[in-house]
Amino acid sequence: MAEGAALRAVRGCLAAFPREARELGWMECVPYLDRPPSPLEFYREWVSPNKPCIIRNAIGHWPALRKWTLEYLREVMGHKVVSVAVTPNGYADAVFHDRFVMPEERQMPFMDFLDIVEKKVTSPNVFYVQKQCSNLTEEFPELMCDVQPDIPWMSEALGKKPDAVNFWLGESTAVTSLHKDHYENLYCVISGEKQFLLHPPSDRPFIPYELYQAATYKVSEDGSFEIVDEKTADKVPWIPLDPLNPNLERYPEYAQAKPLQCTVKAGEMLYLPSLWFHHVQQSHGCIAVNYWYDMEYDLKYSYYQLLDGLTKAVTVL
Ligand SMILES: O=C(O)CCC(=O)C(=O)O
């Protein structure tokens, strides 16, 4: 076969793949479970087939559900200095013009952050406690007694403990841009609600990535933000597309992708499987805790790497 025909054949296979994968296991919406499953059942029905679900009555016994008001958090944590992501537009870790821009990571007393969330103080900027890297255990250890250090049935199902337990609290204007990672993610909403837009890993051929110079927002003397390039030579691959308002002229393939959308309410837990693309928004002052369990680097991972590699190869050719 001539090279051009071979390339067309590979492109055809990649374009057909998301639909074929969907036909095998598509869900119109994210299903609900009424209670936490047994470890074996959870592994068999959800982790192994890499399917999301929302689990009710899994965290109803956590004191956090009753205790964690902004007032309570102020009382327990107010004087502590914590890391807060600050941006001019609500997008931390996202593409802005021709850069991949990370937030200013500001160290500030938690009570100053709460003043902004509660609108006691106004700021033109957007603030989000979203440090990840286990910020709940590292920066908010006083709150650990109100939740659990791990989710026992998940730890048993996977045969390991979570790599990170994260605390999330922010303004409604703070948005997490579309991305994916290698965690089996149990996302628990304590108060307010989170809106997720999800794509299965099989949608990869329709999801654009581009390479960007890494940069960070820095506040200047006059309070305005500048974007300062990182010194690293490596460019960052990131998704430039806003799935809520996709530029289909620039990324026409995305029109064929079919996102799932769901809202996770207080007391509910979303199982967000590894390698799923996710875009996240929240109600103002929403409080959440999530558990990142590292995925198994098994055949599923290798197949995804192949899909990713082929998609990149036909995009640059
Ligand atoms: O809650 C968020 O804003 C983002 C969560 C997320 O992207 C993650 O846990 O991987």
Side-chain angles (χ1 to χ4, degrees):
M1 201 189 287
E3 229 172 83
L7 184 56
R8 273 197 301 282
V10 175
R11 282 213 169 99
C13 288
L14 286 171
F17 179 75
R19 183 176 41 79
E20 285 164 6
R22 223 178 282 142
E23 277 168 6
L24 281 176
W26 182 240
M27 31 174 89
E28 288 297 325
C29 52
V30 179
Y32 285 87
L33 309 189
D34 280 338
R35 69 190 72 81
S38 72
L40 177 64
E41 189 189 339
F42 193 66
Y43 193 84
R44 191 182 54 215
E45 305 293 329
W46 306 98
V47 179
S48 180
N50 193 243
K51 285 185 172 178
C53 60
I54 297 172
I55 307 154
R56 290 187 167 132
N57 301 309
I59 56 169
H61 58 293
W62 285 7
L65 279 180
R66 282 166 292 283
K67 285 167 73 179
W68 287 10
T69 58
L70 297 183
E71 197 184 357
Y72 174 81
L73 296 182
R74 185 185 287 273
E75 199 181 300
V76 177
M77 290 290 307
H79 287 95
K80 275 199 85 172
V81 172
V82 299
S83 312
V84 182
V86 188
T87 59
N89 55 10
Y91 284 83
D93 301 329
V95 173
F96 183 72
H97 298 315
D98 56 352
R99 296 280 188 276
F100 169 72
V101 192
M102 293 171 280
E104 177 187 306
E105 198 174 285
R106 196 174 296 177
Q107 300 298 307
M108 60 196 284
F110 192 54
M111 65 169 87
D112 293 356
F113 165 76
L114 290 174
D115 284 347
I116 290 163
V117 174
E118 293 184 282
K119 301 196 194 301
K120 290 181 179 163
V121 169
T122 51
S123 165
N125 306 320
V126 180
F127 292 71
Y128 192 14
V129 172
Q130 58 117 51
K131 186 163 187 268
Q132 304 150 49
C133 311
S134 231
N135 66 334
L136 182 59
T137 51
E138 299 300 312
E139 295 196 336
F140 297 83
E142 294 82 352
L143 299 180
M144 276 309 287
C145 54
D146 297 331
V147 297
Q148 286 174 288
D150 69 330
I151 303 295
W153 46 267
M154 184 61 152
S155 299
E156 196 178 328
L158 300 181
K160 59 183 150 199
K161 298 283 184 198
D163 278 6
V165 186
N166 305 310
F167 178 81
W168 308 81
L169 168 53
E171 302 187 81
S172 56
T173 37
V175 177
T176 297
S177 70
L178 190 65
H179 70 287
K180 59 131 186 48
D181 42 52
H182 51 88
Y183 295 114
E184 308 296 351
N185 191 338
L186 288 180
Y187 204 111
C188 311
V189 177
I190 308 293
S191 78
E193 58 183 44
K194 288 257 173 186
Q195 289 100 33
F196 289 82
L197 181 147
L198 306 173
H199 282 283
S202 52
D203 269 354
R204 172 65 183 93
F206 299 147
I207 297 187
Y209 271 89
E210 284 174 16
L211 288 173
Y212 295 95
Q213 164 70 47
T216 306
Y217 285 116
K218 292 255 155 46
V219 179
S220 0
E221 301 272 291
D222 65 358
S224 67
F225 275 92
E226 42 176 348
I227 292 177
V228 179
D229 282 349
E230 294 289 305
K231 296 220 162 54
T232 56
D234 293 342
K235 294 213 165 182
V236 178
W238 205 260
I239 301 168
L241 174 132
D242 175 0
L244 301 178
N245 184 22
N247 180 346
L248 296 178
E249 259 174 47
R250 183 142 183 207
Y251 307 109
E253 292 81 12
Y254 186 74
Q256 298 176 65
K258 284 212 169 24
L260 274 177
Q261 301 205 40
C262 65
T263 298
V264 184
K265 300 207 166 87
E268 295 177 342
M269 173 194 276
L270 169 70
Y271 166 54
L272 173 55
S274 54
L275 303 176
W276 276 62
F277 298 90
H278 47 289
H279 172 279
V280 191
Q281 292 173 287
Q282 64 205 318
S283 59
H284 193 79
C286 171
I287 308 173
V289 168
N290 72 355
Y291 295 79
W292 283 352
Y293 287 83
D294 204 7
M295 71 176 293
E296 284 304 310
Y297 294 92
D298 55 10
L299 208 54
K300 185 161 57 192
Y301 175 78
S302 303
Y303 281 139
Y304 178 78
Q305 290 296 99
L306 175 67
L307 182 65
D308 185 53
L310 285 172
T311 305
K312 276 187 205 138
V314 300
T315 312
V316 293
L317 284 174

